[in-house]
Amino acid sequence: MTKNVIKDVVIVGGGTAGWISAAVIQRLLGATVSVNLIESEDIGTVGVGEATIPPITLLNNMLGIDEKAFIRETNATMKLAIRFENWRVNGEQYYHTFGAPGKSFAFCQFHHYFKRAQQLGLEDSLWDYDLNYLACEAGKFAHIASPDPIIEMPYAYHFDASLYARFLRKKCEQMGVTRTEGIITSVQQNADSGYIDSVTLKDGKKISGDLFVDCSGFRGLLIQQTLNTGYEDWSHWLPCDRAVAMPSERHEKTSPFTRSIAHTAGWQWRIPLQHRNGNGLVYSSHHYTDDQALDILSSNLETAPIGDPKYIHFRTGRRRKQWHKNVIAVGLSGGFLEPLESTSIHLIQSAVVRLVHLFPHDGIKQKQIEEYNKQSQMEFEQIRDFIILHYHVNERNDSQFWKDVRNMEVPESLMHKIELFTASGNLFRAQNDLFLESSWLQVLMGQGVKAGDYHPLANGMSEKKLFELMASIKKIKNEPVGKLASHDDFLREYCRLQRP
Ligand SMILES: Cc1cc2nc3c(=O)[nH]c(=O)nc-3n(C[C@H](O)[C@H](O)[C@H](O)COP(=O)(O)OP(=O)(O)OC[C@H]3O[C@@H](n4cnc5c(N)ncnc54)[C@H](O)[C@@H]3O)c2cc1C
């Protein structure tokens, strides 16, 4: 144990990571610690990060955020899925929805029954049994509260990243977080322990703390530039290393899903917001120059651009230790995985919740650090595998990029999962994996990977009964869709928005 009671928490950075960290720590630990956030408007934030996944609703609830105010103030829309276009082959698309196709049975997953039914002549697609998909295709949304999980419709949001940071800042300041504006120019460490004692701003002001949360973005001001913690590079598996982002005018109708459109050496996101579309191209700088990337993005916008392009460089991987000495790296300072599955904001949420669980109230203990780092590593690696899957199991032959990612060696953990599925149809969620079996199933099948077999338990009913079961699940999934409002009507009525 090396530091005494933790009273003063200093958060370095006021992007999404900084403000989420401040809000969670203040809300849950504010009775015993003070929270001081330092940010610099001159440096600014990364300014992207607009699509989320369902656990964000838990974060908002925990912070006591009113959903209607949140949607209004961040220009948010609802998100039920990501539509992947051109990923397996050009011209084809599939959805990864937040729902679950079919119904979960106690001992035998739905996809085994589905596979047997297919072998017996069923012509439906997996997604015909998924309420989220059906609502996406119909452009509809509603909150569906049902005690029966078969008709749940899990959702997340798209929002304007800078409005979200502003929204959280207001919330944090109401809760008692102190904000300090200024550029940190030097960092003071304890001569014996190497722990950070304080940071000094350009105007000479010194801010001391017991625990520092490094939310300074890619630069990793404390975790890397000061403590030199090191970085595990995953770019041999995920070769995209740049993005160009450019907003465009909104579509007349907003869709309740993100689009991810594969190109010859990367992919494009399209995120519908109330006031504009968020767009960007994630690409490999070994295959496209920046100008080529901008050309591809510009010619695939669909609506008129309304801002200048912004280029972002990144290196996929993770900080070797997310927690080192008295510094915890949260957000981009802790590592980066491209936004293909919108996981970065979730990683922030999960990192700060983990910190709360392991909070060193009466002094930092090495075992807490080890546990924190072990859990972080597992989480990063599981998401990494899921993202690699999208690239690796492609059937595109139109560029060297797609051939290379198809032929590359992938992590053993991912290989095992793919081989198990192709051998037997078995699919298991690894311990604490963010992505459930239904997510893996949709991406595997969407990318054209076929289950090798189905479980014999699916033979436990006659053919007639099996087809009756499929028909009844399909009916249950389809029934709510007709009653849902259009996505735009939902936003207008639920949040009393003025827009058409
Ligand atoms: C192209 C791209 C697309 C993305 N899309 C998504 C998405 O759809 N969904 C998703 O979940 N995530 C997405 N992300 C990730 C998401 O943008 C980040 O996780 C999120 O914005 C958090 O960033 P941050 O707060 O860690 O860093 P930043 O936003 O960079 O904030 C860093 C902060 O540190 C401050 N700072 C730095 N140095 C100093 C200093 N010396 N003194 C004082 N202050 C300092 C800055 O002023 C700023 O306030 C995307 C990322 C990229 C690159």
Side-chain angles (χ1 to χ4, degrees), residues 184-240:
I184 297 169
T185 48
S186 65
V187 179
Q188 293 73 48
Q189 287 176 268
N190 180 289
D192 297 326
S193 65
Y195 276 53
I196 307 235
D197 283 334
S198 57
V199 292
T200 305
L201 308 186
K202 202 171 172 185
D203 64 6
K205 186 172 179 185
K206 188 177 265 199
I207 296 177
S208 310
D210 303 315
L211 194 72
F212 289 79
V213 185
D214 185 348
C215 301
S216 63
F218 285 125
R219 53 179 61 73
L221 188 69
L222 306 182
I223 197 79
Q224 186 56 35
Q225 291 185 6
T226 310
L227 296 183
N228 206 13
T229 308
Y231 197 76
E232 197 175 321
D233 190 324
W234 289 336
S235 48
H236 51 295
W237 287 315
L238 292 166
C240 289

Side-chain angles (χ1 to χ4, degrees), residues 78 80 130-145 151-155 256 476-491 493:
M78 314 308 282
L80 293 169
D130 185 331
L131 177 53
N132 279 50
Y133 162 78
L134 296 165
C136 283
E137 285 285 280
K140 293 186 168 186
F141 184 83
H143 291 108
I144 296 189
I151 43 176
E152 273 178 354
M153 197 165 74
Y155 67 92
I476 293 169
K477 295 281 185 174
N478 273 276
E479 239 158 26
V481 182
K483 298 178 203 141
L484 304 181
S486 80
H487 178 230
D488 290 309
D489 282 347
F490 166 82
L491 289 172
E493 282 154 28

